Amino acid sequence: MRAVQIRELGGPEVVIVRELPEPEPGPGQVLIDVARCGVNFADTLMRENGYLAAATLPLVPGLEVVGCTAEGLRLAALIDNGGYAEKAVISGDHAFAVPDGVDDTEAVALLAQGLTAWWLVNHTACVRPGDSVVVHAAAGGVGSLAVQLAKMRGAGRVIATASTPAKRALAMELGADVAVDTAEEDLTTALCAANGGAQVDVVLEMTGGRVTDQSLAALAPFGRLAFYGMASRVEPAMISPRALQGRSASVSGFWLMHAFDRPDVLGKAYSELAAQVAAGELRVVHGGDHPMSEVQRVHAELRGRRTTGKLVIDPSR
């Protein structure tokens, strides 16, 4: 089968399409023909061994797939790796039936990114009716869904941040009340100004460095900052006991891999998200359907933050 394999650590050039043997399913697993595999920022970190989970080479990247079993059952699934391939082995505990009215890109987008957005809004940050919610990288895969889910949860004001006018306009289309340029020198003041001069209740953050620090400074007493990534790879400076106590603030982290131990919750969440997409209540931003032969370019575009929404790869091309 055709698959992408990484044999050495490095940049996009190490992500190479090769001919590999088909994977063999083990107990509780099933083989599927992959229709689309999702591309995530985490994939670009894996090829450098910069992800939370250490990379073991050789590696076929890809954490999410949608496709059909030999019996014709259409499933979307979270996997440890192996998604960038024509065939993949999935576990029944982390596979979800895809309803009619949900296309392949949408089915994949609701996996790592959709479930992360759902968990952040409903559990980690526990968004409450009336809360003001800052969503950083609001045009990205997680952010674009989190903007909408926060609104559905009853957020009083959703403040989106993004790096370009086009991305900020997209966030507004998705339901954000106001959009802020992430490059604002005094991001703390900009976020509070976007909230009518008041400090904010919730921040969903995945950038790191000064963005985290200035977002924490914008939190109201009893505010919550939910940290689910660090795209800048720069550690924030202000997360200290004194800084948190001085604001009665909470800072939490979330990694979807830990939710794998709660397949019942993930199954409920996926079904809920898929039903909202099928009903037209939740919009997945299609970020590009690319042939697997262009995987190096896709990685370069994603790492360069020149993409929006959900990127997928078609293994058949």
Side-chain angles (χ1 to χ4, degrees):
M1 68 170 187
R2 292 174 72 248
V4 171
Q5 189 183 56
I6 300 171
R7 295 181 179 176
E8 59 181 322
L9 301 176
E13 72 280 356
V14 305
V15 186
I16 298 173
V17 178
R18 308 180 190 274
E19 285 291 332
L20 298 178
E22 290 186 10
E24 295 286 340
Q29 297 180 322
V30 64
L31 185 70
I32 66 166
D33 292 314
V34 178
R36 296 293 185 277
C37 54
V39 183
N40 293 290
F41 194 83
D43 302 342
T44 72
L45 297 177
M46 284 183 182
R47 66 165 198 256
E48 300 172 349
N49 203 20
Y51 190 50
L52 287 172
T56 301
L57 301 182
L59 170 70
V60 176
L63 305 173
E64 47 189 13
V65 292
V66 62
C68 289
T69 66
E71 295 75 28
L73 181 61
R74 186 168 174 242
L75 297 172
L78 290 161
I79 54 180
D80 292 334
N81 54 65
Y84 290 20
E86 291 182 309
K87 295 180 182 292
V89 168
I90 65 174
S91 167
D93 285 344
H94 306 128
F96 315 106
V98 182
D100 294 338
V102 177
D103 67 28
D104 287 336
T105 298
E106 292 165 341
V108 168
L110 298 180
L111 290 166
Q113 294 170 338
L115 292 172
T116 293
W118 183 92
W119 205 289
L120 288 168
V121 169
N122 291 282
H123 289 275
T124 310
C126 195
V127 173
R128 298 187 287 257
D131 278 345
S132 52
V133 180
V134 174
V135 180
H136 287 304
V142 174
S144 61
L145 294 169
V147 165
Q148 300 172 76
L149 294 176
K151 272 295 186 183
M152 292 180 190
R153 185 79 171 172
R157 193 164 184 81
V158 173
I159 302 161
T161 77
S163 58
T164 69
K167 289 182 177 182
R168 293 192 290 275
L170 173 60
M172 296 291 287
E173 289 176 21
L174 296 173
D177 296 288
V178 63
V180 172
D181 187 347
T182 320
E184 287 279 354
E185 184 175 351
D186 187 348
L187 188 57
T188 299
T189 297
L191 294 177
C192 294
N195 196 36
Q199 293 174 310
V200 301
D201 299 306
V202 172
V203 176
L204 306 183
E205 157 62 344
M206 50 72 67
T207 307
R210 74 165 191 94
V211 173
T212 302
D213 292 334
Q214 294 188 13
S215 297
L216 181 60
L219 279 181
F222 304 107
R224 291 94 68 201
L225 186 149
F227 199 67
Y228 68 99
M230 195 167 61
S232 72
R233 306 183 77 177
V234 177
E235 293 281 352
M238 284 186 59
I239 298 181
S240 68
R242 288 181 63 84
L244 298 180
Q245 185 183 15
R247 295 184 174 277
S248 294
S250 301
V251 174
S252 55
F254 176 70
W255 186 24
L256 185 62
M257 292 298 179
H258 291 128
F260 276 28
D261 293 334
R262 302 185 184 182
D264 54 335
V265 179
L266 290 183
K268 171 183 176 295
Y270 191 89
S271 295
E272 181 180 307
L273 293 168
Q276 290 169 337
V277 169
E281 299 167 354
L282 181 65
R283 174 185 166 191
V284 169
V285 177
H286 290 52
D289 188 348
H290 303 277
M292 193 161 68
S293 58
E294 296 181 3
V295 64
Q296 292 182 357
R297 181 181 63 80
V298 174
H299 266 231
E301 292 287 311
L302 179 59
R303 191 57 176 271
R305 303 186 71 178
R306 296 185 293 272
T307 65
T308 58
K310 185 61 188 176
L311 306 176
V312 296
I313 287 176
D314 180 352
S316 71
R317 296 189 286 148

